[in-house]
Amino acid sequence: MKWREIAFVMLVVTSLVGLNTTAQTTITIWAMGEEGLNLEQITPQFEEENPDIKVRVVQIPWDLAYEKIITAVAGGTAPDLCQVGTTWMAAFAAMGALVPLDEFVARSEVVSPANFFPGSWSTAVVGGTVYGVPWYVDVRVLYYRTDLLQAIGVEHPPATWEELYRVGLQLAEQGEYGLGLSPHWQEFLPFVWQAGGHVLDPTLTQPRVTDPEFIEALEFFVSLFQSGIAPIGEEIDLFEAFRTGFYPMFFSGPWMVKLISQRLPDIEGKWFVATMPRKVSRASFVGGSNWAIFAGTSHSEECWRFVEFMSRPDVQVNWYRVLRALPAVTQAWQDPLLAEDPLMQVFAAQLEDAVAPPATPAWEEIAQALTTRVEEAIRGVRAPTEAARLLDQDVRKILARL
């Protein structure tokens, strides 16, 4: 074979080999807690479908995540893509740490606001701009002991504030308490929304904590403690309290379903869940985590492909199988795994009436002040109206620093 022919053959072979070799881009993802530990059960499918992208998952503890992300952003070492708690979105967006996603969403065939629960989607929007995409949702419902309610002649869980108070009082008269509850803002705020109240006005610049609806919610919440229905400063293991009937009812999220089944097999079949009690509405707190692309990345397109992958209904169901994290995509709830589960259908119903805290960078400070003033009212240090007045001052000072 002449040298020209040899050179031609080598050129053809080299070209063919090149066609089968795909340069890989590595994207680094930070994920928290159990999510970070289990995400690699999902990523191989994405890499198989997207051979040009390699996913590197870094697991970080939840209690260190917020400060670690802030430090990374300041030092220019933030990940390409990160799991972000819903109440953190506004703070990171205000820092300029997140990539606006409106253009990505506008051209996407997978990600659309209509595909998500409204309350969940709202957590990803700050100042009218989309900065994230919901990954999974967290919503609070009422856990209750069916046998203990039946023992006092109650055949259905409390559906209104009035029923919650009456049934709680009956249960407390039979045992220690009727309801496990704490002054934490995530437990209190749903009562504000149920009464039609708000913490901030629509512009997120003025407090609304002295409005009649807010005061009504605070007074009712305080009455649950001062009547002996809920404990004041009682520290007890929640699982043991539920098992013994010390707390025959409590509010919590979806993770408790699996934990109760695992830890309390002796009360299997003796408990269930219900949507929140209604006043004007039966609103609940919606949380969870969003996907956010960080501004320093040079791989935003690759990150977006991963976000779209994680937003597919089939992948959302697979993630539910892995960690029992509730799907943020509504179509995923049509899968028999969720649609035929009576417990999960209660969560689905509650997600239709779920509200996110105000999307302000000041929320973490406001939430801390809120918990402090609610606890003062619960302990009788201040009357509810006085606690609300002081909270109004707290919030105004916090907002003034923005």
Side-chain angles (χ1 to χ4, degrees):
M1 185 178 292
K2 296 181 180 180
W3 70 267
R4 286 192 178 89
E5 293 172 333
I6 293 172
F8 176 76
V9 170
M10 289 180 65
L11 178 62
V12 171
V13 170
T14 302
S15 300
L16 290 173
V17 171
L19 290 173
N20 292 321
T21 302
T22 303
Q24 279 194 320
T25 296
T26 298
I27 59 172
T28 299
I29 300 176
W30 284 7
M32 289 58 149
E34 291 297 314
E35 293 92 319
L37 290 173
N38 288 277
L39 185 56
E40 287 181 336
Q41 295 188 46
I42 298 291
T43 55
Q45 181 186 348
F46 172 77
E47 292 175 335
E48 184 178 350
E49 295 180 14
N50 299 269
D52 58 325
I53 302 176
K54 176 70 176 175
V55 177
R56 175 174 172 262
V57 177
V58 177
Q59 189 270 349
I60 54 178
W62 268 111
D63 58 346
L64 302 177
Y66 189 79
E67 292 300 326
K68 187 174 178 64
I69 295 172
I70 289 178
T71 301
V73 169
T77 58
D80 299 299
L81 181 66
C82 189
Q83 171 190 4
V84 177
T86 57
T87 59
W88 301 350
M89 293 293 297
F92 292 136
M95 293 170 59
L98 307 181
V99 173
L101 301 178
D102 297 271
E103 292 184 8
F104 289 91
V105 174
R107 58 181 166 82
S108 177
E109 296 181 0
V110 178
V111 176
S112 167
N115 296 345
F116 297 82
F117 291 100
S120 178
W121 183 261
S122 73
T123 67
V125 181
V126 180
T129 298
V130 178
Y131 285 102
V133 174
W135 178 13
Y136 65 85
V137 291
D138 160 27
V139 69
R140 305 298 194 269
V141 297
L142 177 67
Y143 286 75
Y144 66 98
R145 286 283 298 273
T146 54
D147 58 337
L148 298 182
L149 263 65
Q150 290 170 358
I152 60 170
V154 176
E155 296 299 325
H156 63 83
T160 65
W161 280 15
E162 293 75 14
E163 288 183 2
L164 181 67
Y165 189 90
R166 175 174 54 79
V167 172
L169 207 56
Q170 288 179 262
L171 288 167
E173 290 171 353
Q174 298 297 314
E176 293 291 338
Y177 296 103
L179 178 68
L181 202 60
S182 83
H184 193 276
W185 67 268
Q186 288 188 13
E187 298 228 48
F188 168 64
L189 205 48
F191 287 89
V192 174
W193 295 325
Q194 290 160 19
H198 304 277
V199 176
L200 300 178
D201 72 349
T203 68
L204 306 182
T205 60
Q206 297 295 322
R208 295 278 299 273
V209 298
T210 55
D211 287 2
E213 296 84 358
F214 189 98
I215 300 294
E216 180 183 24
L218 183 55
E219 289 177 339
F220 177 73
F221 193 75
V222 168
S223 75
L224 295 173
F225 292 85
Q226 295 186 345
S227 65
I229 294 173
I232 299 177
E234 193 83 49
E235 292 188 10
I236 184 173
D237 179 78
L238 181 58
F239 295 99
E240 182 65 12
F242 197 49
R243 184 188 69 80
T244 62
F246 193 82
Y247 295 162
M249 300 187 295
F250 66 91
F251 299 105
S252 193
W255 62 86
M256 287 298 293
V257 171
K258 182 178 180 179
L259 292 175
I260 291 174
S261 297
Q262 289 176 339
R263 299 191 188 186
L264 305 177
D266 51 333
I267 62 168
E268 190 68 31
K270 298 179 181 178
W271 64 275
F272 206 69
V273 297
T275 52
M276 300 292 272
R278 179 185 295 275
K279 184 62 175 177
V280 175
S281 74
R282 62 180 189 189
S284 181
F285 166 81
V286 64
S289 287
N290 298 333
W291 289 114
I293 301 175
F294 275 72
T297 184
S298 57
H299 308 307
S300 57
E301 289 292 339
E302 289 85 353
C303 289
W304 180 252
R305 280 159 63 183
F306 185 81
V307 172
E308 287 189 311
F309 170 80
M310 294 299 291
S311 301
R312 284 175 11 196
D314 63 312
V315 178
Q316 289 259 303
V317 173
N318 286 340
W319 183 241
Y320 174 76
R321 286 192 178 95
V322 170
L323 207 60
R324 285 300 187 262
L326 300 185
V329 175
T330 56
Q331 188 179 340
W333 289 80
Q334 298 174 19
D335 188 277
L337 185 63
L338 291 126
E340 297 175 6
D341 185 333
L343 281 166
M344 288 301 103
Q345 286 308 296
V346 174
F347 284 96
Q350 187 63 75
L351 281 165
E352 296 293 346
D353 196 353
V355 183
T360 170
W363 178 249
E364 295 296 325
E365 284 189 85
I366 292 173
Q368 184 176 353
L370 186 59
T371 297
T372 298
R373 296 305 183 186
V374 169
E375 185 167 12
E376 289 178 347
I378 286 170
R379 293 183 178 275
V381 176
R382 306 185 191 283
T385 51
E386 176 68 3
R389 185 184 68 79
L390 292 174
L391 178 60
D392 181 87
Q393 294 178 4
D394 296 336
V395 175
R396 290 182 185 277
K397 290 177 182 178
I398 293 168
L399 293 175
R401 294 198 292 268
L402 289 181

